[in-house]
Amino acid sequence: MRRVQAALVDAQRDYFSRAPGWVLLTTTGRRTGLPRETLLPCARSDNHVFLISTYGWQSDWIRNLRKNPEVKVTCNGVVVSGHAEMIEDLDDKARIVSEHPFVPFAPFEMVHAVALTAARPLLVAFLRRWVASRPVVVVRT
């Protein structure tokens, strides 16, 4: 799976690092110490990036963050350093996705525009339920 992920990152790096609601997260490998890149859907605000792990606690990037929370985030073509914090409290996770909802399944501007306006109540309800068993990560840049 790592080769598939690496090929996807390489092939789509420019688009996803600029796509609405997506970032390229660079963590440090927990065993190798090497940089590891993952494309992730997100919400952004001022000096924060909000991420949810689709695969929960088993995601390699989540396991890497547990060992070393220092990261690099590429969004809008700009690379910034940050510190990641995992949020596990259910009320805090629900508050975060209610205040900063994002579309985890489509990196297209039109989809984001509709989902974050007309469909926002449905999106927030979905996200509040979805984060119940998944970690939410706040990256402070």
Side-chain angles (χ1 to χ4, degrees), residues 81-121:
S81 295
H83 181 85
E85 176 188 354
M86 284 192 232
I87 308 299
E88 298 183 45
D89 180 74
L90 185 56
D91 291 334
D92 289 342
K93 293 190 300 186
R95 179 186 50 76
I96 288 168
V97 298
S98 296
E99 292 173 6
H100 306 282
F102 62 92
V103 184
F105 41 81
F108 309 111
E109 203 164 324
M110 181 64 80
V111 173
H112 279 252
V114 171
L116 295 174
T117 56
R120 185 181 176 117

Side-chain angles (χ1 to χ4, degrees), residues 1 4 7 10 22 25 34 40 50-52 54-55 73 75 80 90 93 99 102 108 112 116-117 120 125 135 139:
M1 191 65 169
V4 172
D10 287 342
W22 284 76
L25 180 73
L34 298 173
L40 296 167
F50 303 95
L51 307 163
I52 299 172
T54 302
Y55 298 107
V73 177
C75 55
V80 295
L90 185 56
K93 293 190 300 186
E99 292 173 6
F102 62 92
F108 309 111
H112 279 252
L116 295 174
T117 56
R120 185 181 176 117
V139 177

Side-chain angles (χ1 to χ4, degrees), residues 122-141:
L122 293 173
L123 177 62
V124 168
F126 164 76
L127 288 172
R128 289 174 65 103
R129 184 177 172 109
W130 197 48
V131 300
S133 63
R134 293 171 174 81
V136 171
V137 175
V138 177
V139 177
R140 288 166 175 66
T141 58

Side-chain angles (χ1 to χ4, degrees), residues 5 8-9 12-13 15-27 36-44 49-56 59-62 65 71-75 84 102-107 112 130 135-137 139:
Q5 172 71 15
L8 180 65
V9 169
Q12 301 296 322
R13 174 186 310 277
Y15 177 76
F16 280 103
S17 68
R18 288 179 168 77
W22 284 76
V23 294
L24 180 63
L25 180 73
T26 304
T27 59
R36 301 295 183 206
E37 296 180 317
T38 307
L39 292 166
L40 296 167
C42 71
R44 304 175 196 145
V49 176
F50 303 95
L51 307 163
I52 299 172
S53 173
T54 302
Y55 298 107
S59 294
D60 282 332
W61 68 272
I62 288 289
L65 289 179
V71 299
K72 290 188 191 236
V73 177
T74 305
C75 55
F102 62 92
V103 184
F105 41 81
H112 279 252
W130 197 48
V136 171
V137 175
V139 177

